[in-house]
Amino acid sequence: VSQSRYKGWEQALHAIQILNAKQIQVELQAIYSPTEYMETLKQEYAGLTGVNWLGYLSNPAPLLAAAHASLLPSYFQESLPYAITESLAYGTPVIALPVAEIPSMLSTEWGLAGQLLRADPNGKAQVEGLVMAIQTYLDSPDCWIEHSRLARLAFASKFSLQTCLQAYKEVFDALTKIPQEQLR
């Protein structure tokens, strides 16, 4: 079974439908791996205003840098989703479910670099919560600016080259350290 089914696409598309019905215009740049499931969704939601079905992009950097938020309502238990790391690198706040390590990825000592969604009883994102999270950034530019600032801080503190090299060095040092009692 394709992981695409667990990425929360249907919930995201329903949220866009609700926002459209409220006359709130948003754009969703859908970046995804082409699968039969995604092609089915693309056909089913072909008339949905504001959705650009981009598919796979070898370099999503320009889109991430220009985005106001990254939406990842995935309920698939990915330990460290690259999409979040990439979004944080560009200062793009993330709207996601609190699965696996996502809460720690978004966490800083000053707050979250985005918004964590509530899950329904099936573990999927609550659609109304998605709508509210998107509306928060539309209605409160100050909140978006703060989350964008925190996204850059989260990336620098957790995923920058310097941070990763130091963490690897500590692991390698611990693995290669010979206990003193073995030296005697």
Side-chain angles (χ1 to χ4, degrees):
V1 176
S2 167
Q3 292 177 1
S4 297
R5 290 192 182 280
Y6 305 103
K7 297 287 187 175
W9 284 107
E10 290 180 69
Q11 291 76 30
L13 293 165
H14 285 209
I16 300 300
Q17 283 178 320
I18 291 168
L19 290 165
N20 283 348
K22 292 181 177 185
Q23 304 298 314
I24 299 171
Q25 186 177 9
V26 296
E27 276 195 48
L28 173 66
Q29 307 299 335
I31 302 170
Y32 57 93
S33 296
T35 62
E36 187 177 315
Y37 171 73
M38 291 306 294
E39 287 305 313
T40 300
L41 283 181
K42 185 177 174 181
Q43 289 173 7
E44 185 179 335
Y45 291 93
L48 185 56
T49 304
V51 179
N52 299 311
W53 298 90
L54 302 176
Y56 172 79
L57 294 179
S58 61
N59 181 17
L63 273 177
L64 291 172
H68 282 87
S70 287
L71 184 59
L72 189 74
S74 176
Y75 50 101
F76 180 73
Q77 297 291 318
E78 299 175 79
S79 58
L80 293 169
Y82 285 128
I84 291 179
T85 306
E86 292 169 334
S87 295
L88 296 175
Y90 289 99
T92 304
V94 177
I95 299 170
L97 277 169
V99 297
E101 291 301 312
I102 291 173
S104 65
M105 292 175 79
L106 299 182
S107 179
T108 73
E109 62 183 279
W110 303 280
L112 288 176
Q115 300 175 64
L116 294 175
L117 302 166
R118 291 185 185 206
D120 68 15
N122 297 318
K124 299 176 183 179
Q126 294 177 349
V127 174
E128 197 54 47
L130 278 166
V131 171
M132 290 188 320
I134 294 166
Q135 278 190 282
T136 295
Y137 288 143
L138 295 171
D139 296 343
S140 178
D142 289 342
C143 178
W144 175 78
I145 290 168
E146 178 63 8
H147 286 185
S148 182
R149 181 183 76 81
L150 293 174
R152 288 182 184 87
L153 290 173
F155 178 80
S157 69
K158 295 173 172 103
F159 303 109
S160 69
L161 181 59
Q162 297 82 5
T163 300
C164 291
L165 286 174
Q166 181 60 38
Y168 281 127
K169 182 183 180 317
E170 290 170 9
V171 169
F172 290 132
D173 287 349
L175 291 172
T176 60
K177 187 176 184 180
I178 300 171
Q180 289 295 327
E181 54 273 1
Q182 290 181 4
L183 293 174
R184 294 182 190 159

